[in-house]
Amino acid sequence: MKWLGILGLVALSECLVIIPLTKIKTMRETLREENLLTHFPEEDTDDTSHNASDDSNNSLQPLKNYLNLCYVGNITIGTPPQEFRIIFDTSSSFMWVPSIKCSSPSCRTHNLFNPLLSTTFRLSSQAFNLKYGAWSIEGILAYDTVRIMNLVDLGQKFGLSVNQSGLDHAIFDGALGLGFPSLASKWITPVFDNLKTQGIISQPVFAFYLSIRKENGSVVMFGGVDHSYHKGQLKWIPVSRNHYWQINMNRITMNGVVVGCYRGCQAVLNTGSTLLAGPTRLVTAIQKLINATPFGEQYLVPCSNIQSLPTIIFTINGNDYPVPAEAYILKGPHSTCVSCFQGGTENWKRSETWVLGSAFLRLYFSVYDRGNNRVGLAPAV
């Protein structure tokens, strides 16, 4: 799920759009206080290029990184454009922003869409109701022009919230889902699918580079891949189910010992969360192995221990993807360090499933290829 301002177009060719993502340093503390660190949608709750490379019809936009937790970029809606701070979220397929009709306290601190100011706005008679972890949103569906940098999506159907909870201190305004159409309701076509069918992008591909250290520098790109953001060749992994960006994972090891995914499992790539989430029983065992102690719903680790903690290796499609302690332990306020591991996936999946959020994706440049239903991973620069 750019979360507070576009940093400018980095155009590599006439059709490559790169969207900046930006980091704000107070986001993790805010979300922890509001119990919003489990941002992963409940399944089915939306009511309502072999190389994928170097094509001339690509689009790149910067993103902003919020304390290594959230990556957000700006879009506009309507004519003339109204700007919003948006989560680009691979774990959903729905787009929504708050409206001027929203009566919730959280809407007072966000940009609100005003239909009266847009000459291209059309109202739908349909309502929607969403739940994202601790967040809930309800409202009406509408149509209008959506712009992602120089990509113009005409007549996009999206949600306008009239009531929302759990978002009082969120710095973003709304979300733009990049999951498969099956995650959305049958009467909504996701933004990315409209970009494809309207011929706005030349390849059905998008990619994320999530910067580790810098507030600025993260990007999401549409229509192709800028290979300067990764090292070595992309390793392609077939999507195991066209719903979330879900893939088969072989195992999870620490110091050569399997600590999860013992007989193979599923993994979901989620740009809308920082977490490494899995079944509670297995995650609790991992927390003990890294000497993390519970503190409310989080697990804390002495910051002085980070250098001595082991690297955790996720083996996917026969390839190892190491995640060192510096990646799975985040430094919080007041000299606290927090484990990115969290349980709970047993509540929404029958088979063992892990969510690989930005703690993983900051290390690995990720490409999402809808033309071939596969994901590409390579070490990020």
Side-chain angles (χ1 to χ4, degrees), residues 139-289:
I140 57 173
L141 296 175
Y143 303 85
D144 213 328
T145 298
V146 174
R147 293 174 177 84
I148 308 173
M149 297 298 280
N150 63 326
L151 302 177
V152 182
D153 175 11
L154 301 174
Q156 176 62 48
K157 199 170 191 177
F158 68 104
L160 288 171
S161 72
V162 297
N163 185 34
Q164 53 190 51
S165 63
L167 290 161
D168 294 38
H169 300 288
I171 299 175
F172 58 90
D173 299 315
L176 191 157
L178 293 169
F180 283 81
S182 61
L183 266 176
S185 68
K186 61 184 179 181
W187 58 78
I188 297 176
T189 301
V191 171
F192 187 75
D193 289 80
N194 276 330
L195 294 178
K196 287 194 310 172
T197 57
Q198 293 176 22
I200 299 168
I201 53 176
S202 64
Q203 294 186 76
V205 171
F206 61 92
F208 279 85
Y209 171 75
L210 304 180
S211 174
I212 296 175
R213 298 179 182 86
K214 297 178 291 184
E215 175 181 335
N216 303 329
S218 302
V219 299
V220 58
M221 54 193 74
F222 290 94
V225 178
D226 176 359
H227 292 284
S228 68
Y229 283 88
H230 68 82
K231 296 175 286 188
Q233 296 294 315
L234 289 166
K235 295 177 180 177
W236 294 102
I237 307 152
V239 170
S240 57
R241 183 188 176 201
N242 297 351
H243 196 58
Y244 299 114
W245 284 94
Q246 181 174 322
I247 55 179
N248 293 316
M249 185 158 64
N250 304 110
R251 58 190 169 275
I252 304 170
T253 56
M254 182 186 300
N255 290 328
V257 177
V258 178
V259 295
C261 196
Y262 289 88
R263 299 177 181 85
C265 61
Q266 296 294 293
V268 172
L269 301 181
N270 182 7
T271 59
S273 171
T274 198
L275 299 174
L276 300 171
T280 301
R281 176 180 58 86
L282 298 176
V283 168
T284 300
I286 291 174
Q287 306 284 29
K288 291 180 179 178
L289 289 172

Side-chain angles (χ1 to χ4, degrees), residues 47-48 53 64 67 84 108 141 148 183 192 237 250 305 326 330-332 363:
D47 290 354
T48 51
S53 65
K64 183 165 283 191
L67 193 58
F84 297 90
R108 300 169 190 165
L141 296 175
I148 308 173
L183 266 176
F192 187 75
I237 307 152
N250 304 110
N305 289 0
E326 293 85 351
L330 294 184
K331 292 183 179 180
L363 300 174

